[in-house]
Amino acid sequence: MYKFNKKLLSITLGLLCCQAATAAVSIEEATAIQRSLVTLDSHLDTPANLVVPGFDILERHTYDHDFSQVDVPRMKEGALDGGFWAVYSPQGELTTSGYEQSRDTALLRALAIRTMVAANPDVFEFATQSADAEKIKKNSKHIVYMSMENAYPLGTDISLLETFYKFGLRMAGPVHFKNNQFGDSSTDPSGTKWGGLSPLGEKLVAEANRLGIVLDGSHAHDETVKDMIRLSKTPIILSHTGSKAIYDHPRNVDDTLLKELAKSGGVIQMNAYSEYLEELPADPERKAAFGGLMKLVKEGSDRSVILEKRREIEHEHPAVKASFEVYMEHFLHALNVVGPKHVGIGADWDGGGGVDDMMDVVNLPKITKRLLDEGYSKSDLADIWGGNALRVLQQAHDYAESLKTSKK
């Protein structure tokens, strides 16, 4: 009688199981899995479009026509439940008048987010607590958390942070492209000013902790991020950042800082801003054409004229974008370094984000498919797509509540 080699049989079955587990899934299967999860993007610059005349968030737009990347029809198609909708206002001089002008813009932007929700109660619901996301999804609505990109509009009055908190703000980053009153930016051409957070920036961290606002280190200089991790009583988030090991750009973080972030409980949300993903070829003609476009904007030209000019530029001098594969290199590297409990998604939609084959939220299931193909589980995806960001939000809330309890 033939005798089975049990060891060989075991190895063969193991290989077959392994092959089955890593078999590529279809985009339809990936989309279905994604729809079953709470899916959040931690940095949506879409509120900038809410104040553009003629833009309707309920209508389907296309990137080729008006260069927008997020609206309700595309969110549904791309299985995106919502995220952190950013309050952003340009940074001017570090003066009282500069602060006040930016403050007013920021308040109007926050109001635009609240108005979007109030005007469409069957479509959107505002969220302030971690648990709100699941409830809103179950009610088949889109999730709206509010964040602030660049705390410059607060000026030197830290108490204004509480005003925005009462508006619903639950995430805030101290800096943007340039150094400001709160600390150093990663991209200020003049270099560092404070060596990290300023004394006022340290107070900002303490106030955010007191209120239960998550601190966002995206755009911050590495030393600023280190100060935030050191001083914050709760984990911080990098709401839209990449891996410096893949592309050495100031907006990305190296593995040492990434591990420090994860050790403190923090999360990196992967950015899809092409210029931060790889070195792209210079295009002087496109740059010059955009100079002319910005002149039209400053002159207050009609939106239709501006859009037609932009379409003309894209036709004559098309932008070179990073590939989806390069984006996933950043993503998979971060996952390899700190694991799926510390990585999420913040593509910078409507703020310059987008790579070839993923220029709006419609194509988000490509990320899910790729992660499944790489062997990540549905549980891992639940963390990556929203669970990690919500955990950090919950920890910020819990610490703020503990302060109230201790006072009592």
Side-chain angles (χ1 to χ4, degrees):
M1 181 181 287
Y2 179 79
K3 293 183 179 180
F4 286 104
N5 184 322
K6 292 183 179 179
K7 184 176 181 180
L8 180 59
L9 179 61
S10 176
I11 292 173
T12 303
L13 289 173
L15 287 172
L16 288 172
C17 289
C18 182
Q19 289 172 352
T22 58
V25 300
S26 69
I27 192 67
E28 291 78 16
E29 290 170 325
T31 304
I33 289 173
Q34 189 174 312
R35 289 193 193 283
S36 71
L37 309 173
V38 173
T39 56
L40 303 174
D41 184 293
S42 57
H43 189 75
L44 299 171
D45 270 314
T46 308
N49 286 333
L50 299 179
V51 297
V52 172
F55 182 84
D56 187 344
I57 193 73
L58 300 183
E59 293 183 359
R60 186 184 184 91
H61 302 255
T62 65
Y63 183 79
D64 289 340
H65 179 70
D66 66 4
F67 309 100
S68 68
Q69 296 172 301
V70 179
D71 54 45
V72 171
R74 284 183 287 179
M75 288 175 75
K76 289 180 178 178
E77 186 175 342
L80 180 65
D81 293 317
F84 287 81
W85 301 64
V87 171
Y88 169 76
S89 53
Q91 180 169 315
E93 297 297 320
L94 304 185
T95 61
T96 300
S97 60
Y99 297 146
E100 289 178 350
Q101 182 176 356
S102 185
R103 175 203 63 198
D104 293 347
T105 300
L107 286 168
L108 289 172
R109 192 60 50 84
L111 181 61
I113 297 171
R114 297 300 306 232
T115 300
M116 175 188 76
V117 176
N120 305 287
D122 296 331
V123 179
F124 296 104
E125 189 168 333
F126 204 81
T128 57
Q129 304 287 332
S130 176
D132 292 343
E134 184 71 40
K135 295 175 184 176
I136 294 170
K137 181 179 177 67
K138 286 182 178 178
N139 288 330
S140 300
K141 298 180 185 180
H142 291 289
I143 303 158
V144 181
Y145 289 100
M146 186 188 294
S147 64
M148 176 179 283
E149 184 175 32
N150 195 8
Y152 168 77
L154 303 179
T156 56
D157 183 3
I158 296 295
S159 69
L160 271 177
L161 188 63
E162 185 166 7
T163 299
F164 281 96
Y165 175 84
K166 291 176 179 177
F167 252 107
L169 187 74
R170 291 300 181 269
M171 183 191 297
V175 298
H176 196 236
F177 283 129
K178 291 186 177 182
N179 306 332
N180 65 16
Q181 70 273 33
F182 296 113
D184 292 329
S185 165
S186 64
T187 51
D188 194 308
S190 63
T192 58
K193 177 180 181 180
W194 305 100
L197 285 171
S198 70
L200 189 64
E202 294 182 357
K203 292 180 180 178
L204 179 70
V205 169
E207 181 66 357
N209 285 167
R210 184 187 74 82
L211 293 169
I213 293 175
V214 175
L215 287 156
D216 178 7
S218 281
H219 284 287
H221 189 276
D222 286 357
E223 294 303 317
T224 308
V225 175
K226 291 175 185 177
D227 282 348
M228 293 168 70
I229 293 172
R230 175 176 58 85
L231 293 171
S232 179
K233 303 299 183 183
T234 65
I236 75 166
I237 199 168
L238 305 180
S239 69
H240 55 303
T241 296
S243 302
K244 192 168 284 187
I246 304 301
Y247 179 45
D248 189 1
H249 190 283
R251 272 286 282 112
N252 299 330
V253 293
D254 63 25
D255 290 356
T256 300
L257 185 51
L258 190 53
K259 290 175 183 177
E260 188 177 340
L261 174 75
K263 186 178 179 181
S264 67
V267 181
I268 180 172
Q269 307 281 116
M270 304 313 297
N271 192 22
Y273 197 104
S274 286
E275 287 83 351
Y276 302 155
L277 299 180
E278 65 176 340
E279 186 171 0
L280 301 175
D283 188 341
E285 293 182 347
R286 178 179 169 86
K287 184 176 180 180
F290 259 89
L293 179 66
M294 289 302 102
K295 184 178 179 181
L296 290 176
V297 173
K298 290 178 181 179
E299 291 172 352
S301 299
D302 188 79
R303 175 168 160 77
S304 62
V305 174
I306 294 171
L307 284 177
E308 184 58 37
K309 180 63 176 178
R310 173 73 187 274
R311 287 190 286 268
E312 179 184 308
I313 293 172
E314 295 299 338
H315 176 72
E316 296 179 357
H317 312 287
V320 177
K321 295 288 184 181
S323 69
F324 178 75
E325 285 305 310
V326 169
Y327 171 67
M328 289 308 302
E329 281 186 50
H330 283 258
F331 210 127
L332 294 170
H333 179 81
L335 284 168
N336 184 55
V337 173
V338 295
K341 292 288 185 183
H342 299 282
V343 180
I345 297 168
D348 205 358
W349 298 122
D350 289 321
V355 295
D356 281 344
D357 298 323
M358 192 179 76
M359 280 305 296
D360 62 15
V361 296
V362 166
N363 291 309
L364 285 174
K366 287 171 65 71
I367 299 173
T368 297
K369 172 177 165 48
R370 181 60 185 277
L371 294 177
L372 289 168
D373 289 346
E374 291 287 337
Y376 289 96
S377 67
K378 183 177 178 180
S379 177
D380 294 333
L381 286 163
D383 289 333
I384 292 166
W385 265 116
N388 294 332
L390 293 175
R391 168 182 57 79
V392 172
L393 179 60
Q394 185 64 50
Q395 288 174 282
H397 171 78
D398 290 346
Y399 178 77
E401 289 299 305
S402 74
L403 293 180
K404 296 176 185 177
T405 302
S406 63
K407 286 182 179 180
K408 291 180 181 178

